[in-house]
mmCIF file of all heavy atoms in Angstrom:
data_model
loop_
_atom_site.group_PDB
_atom_site.id
_atom_site.type_symbol
_atom_site.label_atom_id
_atom_site.label_comp_id
_atom_site.label_asym_id
_atom_site.label_seq_id
_atom_site.Cartn_x
_atom_site.Cartn_y
_atom_site.Cartn_z
ATOM 1 N N ARG Z 1 -0.234 12.017 1.965
ATOM 2 C CA ARG Z 1 0.063 12.229 0.549
ATOM 3 C C ARG Z 1 1.109 11.236 0.061
ATOM 4 O O ARG Z 1 1.135 10.910 -1.113
ATOM 5 C CB ARG Z 1 0.595 13.669 0.329
ATOM 6 C CG ARG Z 1 -0.474 14.725 0.288
ATOM 7 C CD ARG Z 1 0.093 16.069 -0.094
ATOM 8 N NE ARG Z 1 0.710 16.046 -1.419
ATOM 9 C CZ ARG Z 1 2.019 16.226 -1.677
ATOM 10 N NH1 ARG Z 1 2.859 16.470 -0.673
ATOM 11 N NH2 ARG Z 1 2.454 16.160 -2.875
ATOM 12 N N ARG Z 2 1.992 10.796 0.916
ATOM 13 C CA ARG Z 2 3.033 9.879 0.488
ATOM 14 C C ARG Z 2 2.467 8.547 -0.038
ATOM 15 O O ARG Z 2 3.070 7.915 -0.907
ATOM 16 C CB ARG Z 2 4.021 9.595 1.664
ATOM 17 C CG ARG Z 2 4.795 10.830 2.090
ATOM 18 C CD ARG Z 2 5.702 10.513 3.272
ATOM 19 N NE ARG Z 2 6.350 11.737 3.764
ATOM 20 C CZ ARG Z 2 7.223 11.748 4.769
ATOM 21 N NH1 ARG Z 2 7.532 10.599 5.412
ATOM 22 N NH2 ARG Z 2 7.785 12.880 5.157
ATOM 23 N N GLY Z 3 1.356 8.149 0.470
ATOM 24 C CA GLY Z 3 0.710 6.924 -0.001
ATOM 25 C C GLY Z 3 -0.557 7.164 -0.813
ATOM 26 O O GLY Z 3 -1.243 6.217 -1.168
ATOM 27 N N TRP Z 4 -0.859 8.419 -1.112
ATOM 28 C CA TRP Z 4 -2.068 8.746 -1.842
ATOM 29 C C TRP Z 4 -1.759 9.888 -2.788
ATOM 30 O O TRP Z 4 -1.924 11.059 -2.500
ATOM 31 C CB TRP Z 4 -3.179 9.136 -0.870
ATOM 32 C CG TRP Z 4 -4.528 9.209 -1.473
ATOM 33 C CD1 TRP Z 4 -4.914 8.779 -2.727
ATOM 34 C CD2 TRP Z 4 -5.690 9.739 -0.846
ATOM 35 N NE1 TRP Z 4 -6.241 9.026 -2.919
ATOM 36 C CE2 TRP Z 4 -6.785 9.584 -1.795
ATOM 37 C CE3 TRP Z 4 -5.974 10.320 0.385
ATOM 38 C CZ2 TRP Z 4 -8.067 9.986 -1.521
ATOM 39 C CZ3 TRP Z 4 -7.283 10.717 0.662
ATOM 40 C CH2 TRP Z 4 -8.317 10.569 -0.282
ATOM 41 N N PRO Z 5 -1.297 9.581 -4.009
ATOM 42 C CA PRO Z 5 -0.861 10.633 -4.939
ATOM 43 C C PRO Z 5 -1.984 11.570 -5.378
ATOM 44 O O PRO Z 5 -1.717 12.690 -5.857
ATOM 45 C CB PRO Z 5 -0.296 9.854 -6.130
ATOM 46 C CG PRO Z 5 -0.904 8.486 -6.015
ATOM 47 C CD PRO Z 5 -1.118 8.248 -4.552
ATOM 48 N N GLU Z 6 -3.224 11.126 -5.253
ATOM 49 C CA GLU Z 6 -4.347 11.991 -5.676
ATOM 50 C C GLU Z 6 -4.657 13.087 -4.655
ATOM 51 O O GLU Z 6 -5.489 13.965 -4.940
ATOM 52 C CB GLU Z 6 -5.648 11.143 -5.872
ATOM 53 C CG GLU Z 6 -5.621 10.235 -7.102
ATOM 54 C CD GLU Z 6 -4.867 8.933 -6.846
ATOM 55 O OE1 GLU Z 6 -4.498 8.707 -5.658
ATOM 56 O OE2 GLU Z 6 -4.681 8.172 -7.802
ATOM 57 N N LEU Z 7 -3.998 13.088 -3.515
ATOM 58 C CA LEU Z 7 -4.262 14.082 -2.519
ATOM 59 C C LEU Z 7 -3.451 15.337 -2.808
ATOM 60 O O LEU Z 7 -2.221 15.259 -3.028
ATOM 61 C CB LEU Z 7 -3.915 13.575 -1.115
ATOM 62 C CG LEU Z 7 -4.144 14.534 0.055
ATOM 63 C CD1 LEU Z 7 -5.635 14.862 0.156
ATOM 64 C CD2 LEU Z 7 -3.626 13.955 1.339
ATOM 65 N N ARG Z 8 -4.110 16.479 -2.847
ATOM 66 C CA ARG Z 8 -3.455 17.762 -3.085
ATOM 67 C C ARG Z 8 -3.720 18.664 -1.878
ATOM 68 O O ARG Z 8 -4.863 18.731 -1.372
ATOM 69 C CB ARG Z 8 -4.058 18.388 -4.357
ATOM 70 C CG ARG Z 8 -3.572 19.804 -4.657
ATOM 71 C CD ARG Z 8 -4.244 20.291 -5.958
ATOM 72 N NE ARG Z 8 -3.977 21.696 -6.233
ATOM 73 C CZ ARG Z 8 -4.514 22.396 -7.208
ATOM 74 N NH1 ARG Z 8 -5.424 21.790 -7.983
ATOM 75 N NH2 ARG Z 8 -4.227 23.654 -7.400
ATOM 76 N N VAL Z 9 -2.717 19.352 -1.443
ATOM 77 C CA VAL Z 9 -2.806 20.174 -0.247
ATOM 78 C C VAL Z 9 -2.620 21.640 -0.575
ATOM 79 O O VAL Z 9 -1.591 22.008 -1.167
ATOM 80 C CB VAL Z 9 -1.778 19.745 0.830
ATOM 81 C CG1 VAL Z 9 -1.895 20.599 2.075
ATOM 82 C CG2 VAL Z 9 -1.973 18.259 1.198
ATOM 83 N N VAL Z 10 -3.579 22.464 -0.222
ATOM 84 C CA VAL Z 10 -3.470 23.945 -0.342
ATOM 85 C C VAL Z 10 -3.484 24.475 1.083
ATOM 86 O O VAL Z 10 -4.455 24.258 1.831
ATOM 87 C CB VAL Z 10 -4.580 24.532 -1.168
ATOM 88 C CG1 VAL Z 10 -4.562 26.031 -1.122
ATOM 89 C CG2 VAL Z 10 -4.535 24.047 -2.603
ATOM 90 N N ARG Z 11 -2.412 25.153 1.450
ATOM 91 C CA ARG Z 11 -2.308 25.705 2.785
ATOM 92 C C ARG Z 11 -2.411 27.211 2.747
ATOM 93 O O ARG Z 11 -1.675 27.872 1.993
ATOM 94 C CB ARG Z 11 -1.028 25.252 3.438
ATOM 95 C CG ARG Z 11 -0.776 25.824 4.839
ATOM 96 C CD ARG Z 11 0.402 25.169 5.535
ATOM 97 N NE ARG Z 11 0.757 25.820 6.784
ATOM 98 C CZ ARG Z 11 0.083 25.694 7.933
ATOM 99 N NH1 ARG Z 11 -0.962 24.884 7.979
ATOM 100 N NH2 ARG Z 11 0.462 26.322 9.023
ATOM 101 N N LEU Z 12 -3.317 27.773 3.560
ATOM 102 C CA LEU Z 12 -3.459 29.224 3.638
ATOM 103 C C LEU Z 12 -2.540 29.787 4.739
ATOM 104 O O LEU Z 12 -2.304 29.092 5.744
ATOM 105 C CB LEU Z 12 -4.920 29.597 3.949
ATOM 106 C CG LEU Z 12 -5.962 29.038 2.969
ATOM 107 C CD1 LEU Z 12 -7.344 29.599 3.282
ATOM 108 C CD2 LEU Z 12 -5.598 29.315 1.517
ATOM 109 N N ARG Z 13 -2.037 30.982 4.546
ATOM 110 C CA ARG Z 13 -1.100 31.570 5.503
ATOM 111 C C ARG Z 13 -1.771 31.901 6.840
ATOM 112 O O ARG Z 13 -1.130 31.881 7.872
ATOM 113 C CB ARG Z 13 -0.454 32.821 4.910
ATOM 114 C CG ARG Z 13 0.489 32.544 3.760
ATOM 115 C CD ARG Z 13 1.295 33.749 3.365
ATOM 116 N NE ARG Z 13 2.174 33.479 2.266
ATOM 117 C CZ ARG Z 13 3.389 32.900 2.395
ATOM 118 N NH1 ARG Z 13 3.783 32.574 3.618
ATOM 119 N NH2 ARG Z 13 4.145 32.683 1.342
ATOM 120 N N ARG Z 14 -3.034 32.246 6.787
ATOM 121 C CA ARG Z 14 -3.733 32.628 7.995
ATOM 122 C C ARG Z 14 -5.160 32.065 7.903
ATOM 123 O O ARG Z 14 -5.648 31.747 6.834
ATOM 124 C CB ARG Z 14 -3.792 34.155 8.150
ATOM 125 C CG ARG Z 14 -4.313 34.857 6.916
ATOM 126 C CD ARG Z 14 -4.339 36.367 7.073
ATOM 127 N NE ARG Z 14 -5.309 36.774 8.022
ATOM 128 C CZ ARG Z 14 -6.602 36.990 7.737
ATOM 129 N NH1 ARG Z 14 -7.045 36.799 6.508
ATOM 130 N NH2 ARG Z 14 -7.439 37.402 8.665
ATOM 131 N N ASN Z 15 -5.786 31.996 9.056
ATOM 132 C CA ASN Z 15 -7.173 31.551 9.071
ATOM 133 C C ASN Z 15 -8.063 32.584 8.407
ATOM 134 O O ASN Z 15 -8.117 33.730 8.856
ATOM 135 C CB ASN Z 15 -7.615 31.318 10.538
ATOM 136 C CG ASN Z 15 -9.029 30.744 10.621
ATOM 137 O OD1 ASN Z 15 -10.005 31.485 10.627
ATOM 138 N ND2 ASN Z 15 -9.133 29.448 10.635
ATOM 139 N N SER Z 16 -8.734 32.186 7.339
ATOM 140 C CA SER Z 16 -9.546 33.103 6.545
ATOM 141 C C SER Z 16 -11.026 32.868 6.688
ATOM 142 O O SER Z 16 -11.814 33.639 6.104
ATOM 143 C CB SER Z 16 -9.146 33.003 5.070
ATOM 144 O OG SER Z 16 -7.779 33.286 4.911
ATOM 145 N N GLY Z 17 -11.427 31.843 7.415
ATOM 146 C CA GLY Z 17 -12.844 31.549 7.583
ATOM 147 C C GLY Z 17 -13.319 30.460 6.637
ATOM 148 O O GLY Z 17 -12.689 30.201 5.601
ATOM 149 N N HIS Z 18 -14.409 29.842 7.039
ATOM 150 C CA HIS Z 18 -14.918 28.659 6.305
ATOM 151 C C HIS Z 18 -15.262 28.988 4.860
ATOM 152 O O HIS Z 18 -14.866 28.246 3.959
ATOM 153 C CB HIS Z 18 -16.145 28.103 7.057
ATOM 154 C CG HIS Z 18 -16.672 26.854 6.455
ATOM 155 N ND1 HIS Z 18 -17.886 26.770 5.818
ATOM 156 C CD2 HIS Z 18 -16.169 25.600 6.451
ATOM 157 C CE1 HIS Z 18 -18.104 25.551 5.414
ATOM 158 N NE2 HIS Z 18 -17.079 24.822 5.776
ATOM 159 N N GLN Z 19 -16.023 30.069 4.610
ATOM 160 C CA GLN Z 19 -16.449 30.385 3.258
ATOM 161 C C GLN Z 19 -15.288 30.768 2.381
ATOM 162 O O GLN Z 19 -15.224 30.434 1.195
ATOM 163 C CB GLN Z 19 -17.501 31.487 3.303
ATOM 164 C CG GLN Z 19 -18.769 31.115 4.051
ATOM 165 C CD GLN Z 19 -19.492 29.932 3.463
ATOM 166 O OE1 GLN Z 19 -19.882 29.964 2.267
ATOM 167 N NE2 GLN Z 19 -19.692 28.890 4.212
ATOM 168 N N ASN Z 20 -14.303 31.491 2.946
ATOM 169 C CA ASN Z 20 -13.130 31.870 2.150
ATOM 170 C C ASN Z 20 -12.252 30.651 1.857
ATOM 171 O O ASN Z 20 -11.593 30.587 0.797
ATOM 172 C CB ASN Z 20 -12.315 32.922 2.889
ATOM 173 C CG ASN Z 20 -13.036 34.282 2.922
ATOM 174 O OD1 ASN Z 20 -13.775 34.620 1.966
ATOM 175 N ND2 ASN Z 20 -12.839 35.033 3.964
ATOM 176 N N ALA Z 21 -12.210 29.700 2.785
ATOM 177 C CA ALA Z 21 -11.483 28.462 2.497
ATOM 178 C C ALA Z 21 -12.147 27.708 1.370
ATOM 179 O O ALA Z 21 -11.484 27.105 0.487
ATOM 180 C CB ALA Z 21 -11.403 27.591 3.755
ATOM 181 N N LEU Z 22 -13.479 27.695 1.350
ATOM 182 C CA LEU Z 22 -14.204 27.089 0.217
ATOM 183 C C LEU Z 22 -13.860 27.820 -1.102
ATOM 184 O O LEU Z 22 -13.699 27.200 -2.166
ATOM 185 C CB LEU Z 22 -15.707 27.134 0.448
ATOM 186 C CG LEU Z 22 -16.286 26.079 1.381
ATOM 187 C CD1 LEU Z 22 -17.778 26.385 1.635
ATOM 188 C CD2 LEU Z 22 -16.127 24.716 0.815
ATOM 189 N N THR Z 23 -13.749 29.137 -1.020
ATOM 190 C CA THR Z 23 -13.370 29.926 -2.225
ATOM 191 C C THR Z 23 -12.028 29.505 -2.729
ATOM 192 O O THR Z 23 -11.817 29.335 -3.955
ATOM 193 C CB THR Z 23 -13.361 31.425 -1.886
ATOM 194 O OG1 THR Z 23 -14.670 31.823 -1.439
ATOM 195 C CG2 THR Z 23 -12.998 32.266 -3.075
ATOM 196 N N ALA Z 24 -11.067 29.348 -1.829
ATOM 197 C CA ALA Z 24 -9.726 28.900 -2.244
ATOM 198 C C ALA Z 24 -9.774 27.555 -2.945
ATOM 199 O O ALA Z 24 -9.099 27.334 -3.950
ATOM 200 C CB ALA Z 24 -8.800 28.854 -1.022
ATOM 201 N N GLY Z 25 -10.588 26.644 -2.419
ATOM 202 C CA GLY Z 25 -10.696 25.350 -3.056
ATOM 203 C C GLY Z 25 -11.359 25.404 -4.424
ATOM 204 O O GLY Z 25 -10.895 24.775 -5.382
ATOM 205 N N LEU Z 26 -12.428 26.199 -4.541
ATOM 206 C CA LEU Z 26 -13.125 26.288 -5.812
ATOM 207 C C LEU Z 26 -12.250 26.949 -6.883
ATOM 208 O O LEU Z 26 -12.291 26.566 -8.055
ATOM 209 C CB LEU Z 26 -14.407 27.088 -5.638
ATOM 210 C CG LEU Z 26 -15.527 26.416 -4.852
ATOM 211 C CD1 LEU Z 26 -16.703 27.391 -4.649
ATOM 212 C CD2 LEU Z 26 -16.020 25.167 -5.558
ATOM 213 N N HIS Z 27 -11.449 27.922 -6.492
ATOM 214 C CA HIS Z 27 -10.596 28.622 -7.452
ATOM 215 C C HIS Z 27 -9.492 27.707 -8.000
ATOM 216 O O HIS Z 27 -8.974 27.977 -9.078
ATOM 217 C CB HIS Z 27 -9.956 29.834 -6.792
ATOM 218 C CG HIS Z 27 -10.924 31.001 -6.690
ATOM 219 N ND1 HIS Z 27 -10.502 32.282 -6.459
ATOM 220 C CD2 HIS Z 27 -12.268 31.053 -6.777
ATOM 221 C CE1 HIS Z 27 -11.543 33.090 -6.430
ATOM 222 N NE2 HIS Z 27 -12.630 32.386 -6.600
ATOM 223 N N ARG Z 28 -9.144 26.663 -7.258
ATOM 224 C CA ARG Z 28 -8.048 25.794 -7.650
ATOM 225 C C ARG Z 28 -8.472 24.411 -8.119
ATOM 226 O O ARG Z 28 -7.670 23.635 -8.610
ATOM 227 C CB ARG Z 28 -7.026 25.681 -6.517
ATOM 228 C CG ARG Z 28 -6.135 26.880 -6.408
ATOM 229 C CD ARG Z 28 -5.411 26.991 -5.120
ATOM 230 N NE ARG Z 28 -4.445 28.090 -5.211
ATOM 231 C CZ ARG Z 28 -4.737 29.375 -5.234
ATOM 232 N NH1 ARG Z 28 -5.984 29.716 -5.107
ATOM 233 N NH2 ARG Z 28 -3.811 30.302 -5.338
ATOM 234 N N ALA Z 29 -9.727 24.094 -7.931
ATOM 235 C CA ALA Z 29 -10.211 22.784 -8.352
ATOM 236 C C ALA Z 29 -10.191 22.655 -9.901
ATOM 237 O O ALA Z 29 -10.529 23.626 -10.589
ATOM 238 C CB ALA Z 29 -11.638 22.586 -7.836
ATOM 239 N N ARG Z 30 -9.807 21.492 -10.369
ATOM 240 C CA ARG Z 30 -9.646 21.302 -11.804
ATOM 241 C C ARG Z 30 -10.626 20.311 -12.437
ATOM 242 O O ARG Z 30 -10.648 20.135 -13.639
ATOM 243 C CB ARG Z 30 -8.226 20.793 -12.110
ATOM 244 C CG ARG Z 30 -7.111 21.741 -11.656
ATOM 245 C CD ARG Z 30 -5.744 21.122 -11.921
ATOM 246 N NE ARG Z 30 -5.537 19.949 -11.053
ATOM 247 C CZ ARG Z 30 -4.706 18.944 -11.353
ATOM 248 N NH1 ARG Z 30 -4.026 18.981 -12.489
ATOM 249 N NH2 ARG Z 30 -4.557 17.939 -10.531
ATOM 250 N N GLY Z 31 -11.449 19.651 -11.596
ATOM 251 C CA GLY Z 31 -12.282 18.570 -12.084
ATOM 252 C C GLY Z 31 -13.465 19.067 -12.898
ATOM 253 O O GLY Z 31 -13.898 20.222 -12.842
ATOM 254 N N ALA Z 32 -14.048 18.156 -13.673
ATOM 255 C CA ALA Z 32 -15.272 18.429 -14.407
ATOM 256 C C ALA Z 32 -16.427 18.574 -13.417
ATOM 257 O O ALA Z 32 -17.403 19.282 -13.691
ATOM 258 C CB ALA Z 32 -15.572 17.311 -15.394
ATOM 259 N N TYR Z 33 -16.323 17.877 -12.294
ATOM 260 C CA TYR Z 33 -17.282 18.028 -11.178
ATOM 261 C C TYR Z 33 -16.469 18.275 -9.916
ATOM 262 O O TYR Z 33 -15.395 17.706 -9.732
ATOM 263 C CB TYR Z 33 -18.135 16.807 -11.016
ATOM 264 C CG TYR Z 33 -19.151 16.597 -12.146
ATOM 265 C CD1 TYR Z 33 -18.848 15.738 -13.214
ATOM 266 C CD2 TYR Z 33 -20.376 17.260 -12.118
ATOM 267 C CE1 TYR Z 33 -19.765 15.521 -14.222
ATOM 268 C CE2 TYR Z 33 -21.278 17.034 -13.140
ATOM 269 C CZ TYR Z 33 -21.003 16.177 -14.202
ATOM 270 O OH TYR Z 33 -21.881 16.027 -15.200
ATOM 271 N N VAL Z 34 -17.014 19.103 -9.056
ATOM 272 C CA VAL Z 34 -16.348 19.471 -7.803
ATOM 273 C C VAL Z 34 -17.340 19.237 -6.656
ATOM 274 O O VAL Z 34 -18.457 19.735 -6.691
ATOM 275 C CB VAL Z 34 -15.860 20.926 -7.802
ATOM 276 C CG1 VAL Z 34 -15.211 21.281 -6.471
ATOM 277 C CG2 VAL Z 34 -14.901 21.163 -8.966
ATOM 278 N N VAL Z 35 -16.884 18.532 -5.628
ATOM 279 C CA VAL Z 35 -17.679 18.304 -4.438
ATOM 280 C C VAL Z 35 -16.993 18.950 -3.278
ATOM 281 O O VAL Z 35 -15.805 18.724 -3.018
ATOM 282 C CB VAL Z 35 -17.842 16.782 -4.140
ATOM 283 C CG1 VAL Z 35 -18.648 16.580 -2.859
ATOM 284 C CG2 VAL Z 35 -18.576 16.114 -5.319
ATOM 285 N N SER Z 36 -17.739 19.783 -2.505
ATOM 286 C CA SER Z 36 -17.196 20.417 -1.296
ATOM 287 C C SER Z 36 -17.716 19.634 -0.093
ATOM 288 O O SER Z 36 -18.920 19.367 -0.007
ATOM 289 C CB SER Z 36 -17.584 21.872 -1.208
ATOM 290 O OG SER Z 36 -18.994 22.029 -1.272
ATOM 291 N N ILE Z 37 -16.832 19.301 0.824
ATOM 292 C CA ILE Z 37 -17.217 18.521 2.000
ATOM 293 C C ILE Z 37 -16.253 18.826 3.140
ATOM 294 O O ILE Z 37 -15.050 19.013 2.902
ATOM 295 C CB ILE Z 37 -17.222 17.002 1.655
ATOM 296 C CG1 ILE Z 37 -17.726 16.181 2.846
ATOM 297 C CG2 ILE Z 37 -15.854 16.540 1.194
ATOM 298 C CD1 ILE Z 37 -17.893 14.714 2.529
ATOM 299 N N ASP Z 38 -16.775 18.884 4.352
ATOM 300 C CA ASP Z 38 -15.922 19.032 5.529
ATOM 301 C C ASP Z 38 -15.365 17.697 5.925
ATOM 302 O O ASP Z 38 -15.912 16.623 5.575
ATOM 303 C CB ASP Z 38 -16.739 19.618 6.669
ATOM 304 C CG ASP Z 38 -17.223 21.026 6.371
ATOM 305 O OD1 ASP Z 38 -16.558 21.733 5.600
ATOM 306 O OD2 ASP Z 38 -18.247 21.447 6.975
ATOM 307 N N VAL Z 39 -14.277 17.702 6.676
ATOM 308 C CA VAL Z 39 -13.591 16.444 7.032
ATOM 309 C C VAL Z 39 -14.003 15.918 8.386
ATOM 310 O O VAL Z 39 -13.391 14.992 8.904
ATOM 311 C CB VAL Z 39 -12.042 16.635 7.033
ATOM 312 C CG1 VAL Z 39 -11.556 16.966 5.630
ATOM 313 C CG2 VAL Z 39 -11.615 17.662 8.050
ATOM 314 N N ASP Z 40 -15.076 16.471 8.957
ATOM 315 C CA ASP Z 40 -15.530 15.965 10.253
ATOM 316 C C ASP Z 40 -16.369 14.707 10.142
ATOM 317 O O ASP Z 40 -16.808 14.141 11.167
ATOM 318 C CB ASP Z 40 -16.287 17.050 11.021
ATOM 319 C CG ASP Z 40 -17.466 17.603 10.244
ATOM 320 O OD1 ASP Z 40 -17.839 16.969 9.222
ATOM 321 O OD2 ASP Z 40 -18.000 18.644 10.650
ATOM 322 N N LEU Z 41 -16.671 14.264 8.897
ATOM 323 C CA LEU Z 41 -17.428 13.011 8.616
ATOM 324 C C LEU Z 41 -18.855 13.108 9.110
ATOM 325 O O LEU Z 41 -19.530 12.097 9.236
ATOM 326 C CB LEU Z 41 -16.724 11.814 9.234
ATOM 327 C CG LEU Z 41 -15.396 11.419 8.559
ATOM 328 C CD1 LEU Z 41 -14.775 10.220 9.249
ATOM 329 C CD2 LEU Z 41 -15.589 11.154 7.103
ATOM 330 N N GLN Z 42 -19.368 14.296 9.374
ATOM 331 C CA GLN Z 42 -20.780 14.428 9.591
ATOM 332 C C GLN Z 42 -21.599 14.329 8.338
ATOM 333 O O GLN Z 42 -22.751 13.905 8.360
ATOM 334 C CB GLN Z 42 -21.096 15.769 10.305
ATOM 335 C CG GLN Z 42 -20.616 15.832 11.756
ATOM 336 C CD GLN Z 42 -21.099 17.055 12.484
ATOM 337 O OE1 GLN Z 42 -20.565 18.161 12.286
ATOM 338 N NE2 GLN Z 42 -22.089 16.884 13.320
#
């Protein structure tokens, strides 16, 4: 984040599962378009 101001970090207190993590992202996303993607680069 120090070199990439467009990066926003949402940290959950506990592991809530993949679908619930997606829910957290969708509830906080502000864009006109939203893309969900895992970071494993598959």
Side-chain angles (χ1 to χ4, degrees):
R1 283 186 60 243
R2 295 179 184 181
W4 193 10
E6 288 83 6
L7 181 63
R8 174 182 173 185
V9 180
V10 173
R11 178 170 171 77
L12 305 186
R13 291 191 180 277
R14 52 182 292 275
N15 183 272
S16 302
H18 185 250
Q19 298 300 300
N20 290 328
L22 280 174
T23 300
L26 290 174
H27 282 197
R28 281 164 172 72
R30 299 177 294 156
Y33 290 96
V34 178
V35 177
S36 56
I37 184 173
D38 295 333
V39 296
D40 55 14
L41 291 179
Q42 290 188 282

